Amino acid sequence: MMEQDMTSTNQLLDGVIGDEEEEQYSGPSIRCVMFNLDSEVYGINVKKVREVLRVGSIRKVEGAAHNVLGIINVRGVIVTVVDTRATYGLMSKPVDELSRIIIVELDSDNIVGMMVDCVMEVKDIPEKKFEPMSATKEGASRYLQGIAHYNGDVIILIDVDSMFSGQA
């Protein structure tokens, strides 16, 4: 009982300290849609996100790339849905009630859906917290823009333009 109370108190203090850190910062920040793949926390700049959808019917497309799940109809617009787990070399996972499709606008003509495990929240992260990725990006790391340590989380910022260049 006592140990449980200490854990609750520590979690509460962590939250208060984290909130104060957020409130004190007034510099430039990046507003991100936060989501999970496995136990990792990822972020996409909210300027690239059009909307977040529950997973419905996805029509398979024969001959599509290994990471393409298929297509969906979003209010009359056909959108390609990419398995973000496959893109990052993670094991596949069945769709569940927390799975979501993040609709990303690459430009005015190209829209792509990203299947993710769970969408968490929208959060402002100070730009100074992000460490850029090295110039020699290889494999899936070429899709990553930077990594931030913020409020106890490691947040991986995705470069959606690099991720979908040539796919839309």
Side-chain angles (χ1 to χ4, degrees), residues 33-36 52-53 98-102 114 116-122:
V33 173
M34 312 297 287
F35 65 93
N36 281 103
V52 176
L53 303 173
L98 295 176
S99 300
R100 295 290 184 269
I101 298 173
I102 300 174
M114 296 173 56
V116 299
D117 294 352
C118 166
V119 172
M120 301 161 56
E121 62 185 321
V122 175

Side-chain angles (χ1 to χ4, degrees), residues 80 106-107 109-112 164-168:
T80 300
L106 304 176
D107 57 42
D109 295 328
N110 295 303
I111 299 170
V112 176
F164 296 112
S165 62
Q167 283 192 14

Side-chain angles (χ1 to χ4, degrees), residues 11 16 25 42 45 50 70 74 83 108 116 132 140 146 149 152:
Q11 289 172 342
V16 170
Y25 183 75
Y42 292 82
N45 190 325
R50 182 176 187 182
V74 181
D83 183 352
S108 60
V116 299
H149 297 267

Side-chain angles (χ1 to χ4, degrees), residues 56-145:
S57 176
I58 300 174
R59 181 174 291 192
K60 292 198 179 289
V61 177
E62 296 300 322
H66 79 284
N67 66 338
V68 173
L69 294 170
I71 57 173
I72 59 173
N73 184 336
V74 181
R75 291 178 290 283
V77 176
I78 302 301
V79 177
T80 300
V81 178
V82 173
D83 183 352
T84 308
R85 296 178 69 86
T87 302
Y88 286 101
L90 302 171
M91 299 280 290
S92 66
K93 177 182 175 259
V95 172
D96 61 25
E97 62 190 42
L98 295 176
S99 300
R100 295 290 184 269
I101 298 173
I102 300 174
I103 304 296
V104 177
E105 287 185 335
L106 304 176
D107 57 42
S108 60
D109 295 328
N110 295 303
I111 299 170
V112 176
M114 296 173 56
M115 174 81 77
V116 299
D117 294 352
C118 166
V119 172
M120 301 161 56
E121 62 185 321
V122 175
K123 194 174 216 173
D124 292 321
I125 302 170
E127 284 183 5
K128 69 180 185 182
K129 295 286 184 179
F130 280 101
E131 300 171 18
M133 298 296 292
S134 69
T136 57
K137 297 178 184 178
E138 295 179 11
S141 69
R142 68 181 181 272
Y143 309 138
L144 306 179
Q145 192 170 354

Side-chain angles (χ1 to χ4, degrees), residues 10-65:
N10 287 339
Q11 289 172 342
L12 182 62
L13 288 174
D14 287 346
V16 170
I17 291 169
D19 290 343
E20 287 176 3
E21 182 182 357
E22 284 183 44
E23 290 174 9
Q24 292 174 357
Y25 183 75
S26 62
S29 61
I30 300 173
R31 179 162 283 185
C32 295
V33 173
M34 312 297 287
F35 65 93
N36 281 103
L37 291 177
D38 276 344
S39 59
E40 300 293 333
V41 178
Y42 292 82
I44 299 175
N45 190 325
V46 75
K47 291 177 183 175
K48 291 290 188 178
V49 176
R50 182 176 187 182
E51 62 187 304
V52 176
L53 303 173
R54 290 184 181 271
V55 179
S57 176
I58 300 174
R59 181 174 291 192
K60 292 198 179 289
V61 177
E62 296 300 322

Side-chain angles (χ1 to χ4, degrees), residues 1-16:
M1 178 85 173
M2 181 73 149
E3 184 176 317
Q4 192 173 29
D5 290 340
M6 290 298 292
T7 302
S8 298
T9 303
N10 287 339
Q11 289 172 342
L12 182 62
L13 288 174
D14 287 346
V16 170

